[in-house]
Amino acid sequence: MSMSGHAGGAGGRRAASIRDVASAAGVSHQTVSRVINGHPSVRASTRARVEAAIADLGFRRSATAHALARGRSESVTVLTPNTVHHGYAAALQGIEEAARAASYMVGISVLDSDREPVVREALARAAGTGGGVIVIAYDRPGVRALELAPAGMPLVAAVETPAEPPPAGSPWVWTDDREAAREVTRHLLRLGHRTVHYVAIPSTTRTGGGAQRAAGWRAALTAAGAPVPEPVAGGWGPAEGYAAGRELARDPAVTAVLCGNDALALGLLRAFAEAGRDVPGEVSVAGFDDAPHAAFLTPSLTTVRLDFAGLGRACFALLHGLLQQGEPVAPHPVAAPRLILRESTGPRRG
């Protein structure tokens, strides 16, 4: 059989369709569909003829058509309030990588409000795809989506570190922000610093990552009997870190600072440089998350690495198990945080 005019790819020829295969094999396109989907009511000789035509024409089954034929969509919809900040973006990357490996399609729906009608509409759109749902619930819109999700929706969520163990069966995974903050604070205290100041990220939920990072920092200071300074309100980006750094640079008693994320630390380092406060000679600075720029700052930034991409992959793996085998979902942390030591921290001097 000739491939001319059918095979896709080289020379701009169009891809072979199911009707091309049917014509070449001398059968109906419904028969080709039954062969593709393994239907038993096809004679062996007909099946062999269709399979030979498929091979000869280089036909590839449409993933979308296959999903429709099976009565469900092999897809996942991610509901997320943000696609730019490091944790969100890296989690999305992990979800996409895992989904692509399993031949699933990924759609993204941005939750730009926690208003009930907006969240319900997003959930309804996601349910309408016939696939599963992953919620990145790092702030109020994501948490609201978990509250309003209908019973029975195949759903998994990446959440901030729970303050208390969640109920069994909660479809949640997380990284341990609290333990990560405790670890980096202990490291700074071991370097001889009398205390560690903290520039906070916002906590947009009552027990969210911002609150848990602050709780870990405070717990490490308390356990060491160190003074607990009032946290400095920061934000998410370098501009807020710069403003906090200008305030802290005026206090000669400040010798160690932990920032709630690496973007804050970027601005803080700039403010200290402008104020003539040497890092790490006079002040040690540590960040959080190990964002891509952290290793390339001057000085390079000591930080805590949280595996957000691994978190995303874990979310998809749980959802895939739920969709394919109906496997039970249990809440659990994913990957221990890792302290990354670089140039921005050192022993207290003087």
Side-chain angles (χ1 to χ4, degrees):
M1 299 176 199
S2 172
M3 290 172 48
S4 176
H6 298 306
R13 291 173 293 180
R14 67 179 178 83
S17 71
I18 194 170
R19 292 187 183 275
D20 294 327
V21 174
S23 177
V27 299
S28 69
H29 70 272
Q30 292 92 338
T31 297
V32 176
S33 179
R34 285 194 289 271
V35 171
I36 290 170
N37 290 294
H39 200 283
S41 61
V42 180
R43 286 183 298 181
S45 59
T46 302
R47 184 183 302 278
R49 206 159 65 245
V50 170
E51 289 174 346
I54 287 172
D56 192 26
L57 296 174
F59 172 77
R60 290 190 177 185
R61 174 176 57 189
S62 161
T64 301
H66 179 50
L68 291 172
R70 295 174 65 185
R72 63 180 174 83
S73 173
E74 292 192 335
S75 65
V76 58
T77 299
V78 184
L79 302 183
T80 177
N82 190 287
T83 60
V84 177
H85 292 151
H86 174 65
Y88 297 87
L92 285 170
Q93 177 188 348
I95 292 168
E96 192 279 329
E97 288 173 352
R100 178 158 33 94
S103 299
Y104 269 62
M105 295 176 289
V106 178
I108 298 174
S109 179
V110 176
L111 292 170
D112 56 4
S113 169
D114 65 353
R115 292 175 53 244
E116 183 170 336
V118 174
V119 176
R120 285 196 184 279
E121 181 183 357
L123 287 165
R125 285 198 308 269
T129 67
V133 177
I134 295 174
V135 180
I136 300 181
Y138 288 162
D139 48 24
R140 187 59 192 162
V143 171
R144 192 69 172 136
L146 294 186
E147 295 170 350
L148 296 174
M153 173 179 276
L155 179 148
V156 170
V159 301
E160 294 176 319
T161 309
E164 303 292 339
S170 300
W172 301 348
V173 294
W174 61 88
T175 56
D176 196 338
D177 297 80
R178 186 166 54 239
E179 178 55 33
R182 189 182 291 123
E183 181 178 3
V184 69
T185 304
R186 284 195 297 252
H187 169 69
L188 290 166
L189 293 173
R190 285 194 296 267
L191 290 173
H193 297 282
R194 179 171 171 267
T195 190
V196 178
H197 290 72
Y198 181 60
V199 180
I201 58 172
S203 184
T204 49
T205 64
R206 287 177 300 170
T207 59
Q212 293 308 307
R213 292 181 187 192
W217 160 77
R218 187 175 290 107
L221 293 179
T222 301
V228 182
E230 188 68 23
V232 178
W236 293 108
E240 293 91 344
Y242 177 78
R246 292 188 65 181
E247 176 184 337
L248 290 168
R250 291 194 289 265
D251 184 353
V254 173
T255 68
V257 183
L258 171 62
C259 295
N261 69 15
D262 292 340
L264 287 172
L266 173 62
L268 192 89
L269 288 172
R270 174 74 182 189
F272 281 177
E274 289 182 358
R277 299 290 303 274
D278 180 65
V279 176
E282 294 181 59
V283 185
S284 285
V285 175
F288 220 103
D289 294 342
D290 197 25
H293 67 263
F296 299 96
L297 298 173
T298 303
S300 58
L301 185 65
T302 290
T303 185
V304 180
R305 179 175 297 161
L306 298 178
D307 186 7
F308 289 109
L311 181 74
R313 290 190 292 270
C315 281
F316 179 80
L318 286 179
L319 184 61
H320 190 244
L322 184 64
L323 291 171
Q324 296 291 329
Q325 290 91 28
E327 294 176 356
V329 175
H332 65 281
V334 175
R338 179 184 169 198
L339 180 61
I340 306 297
L341 299 178
R342 297 195 179 105
E343 299 166 346
S344 66
T345 54
R348 179 187 176 189
R349 300 178 187 175

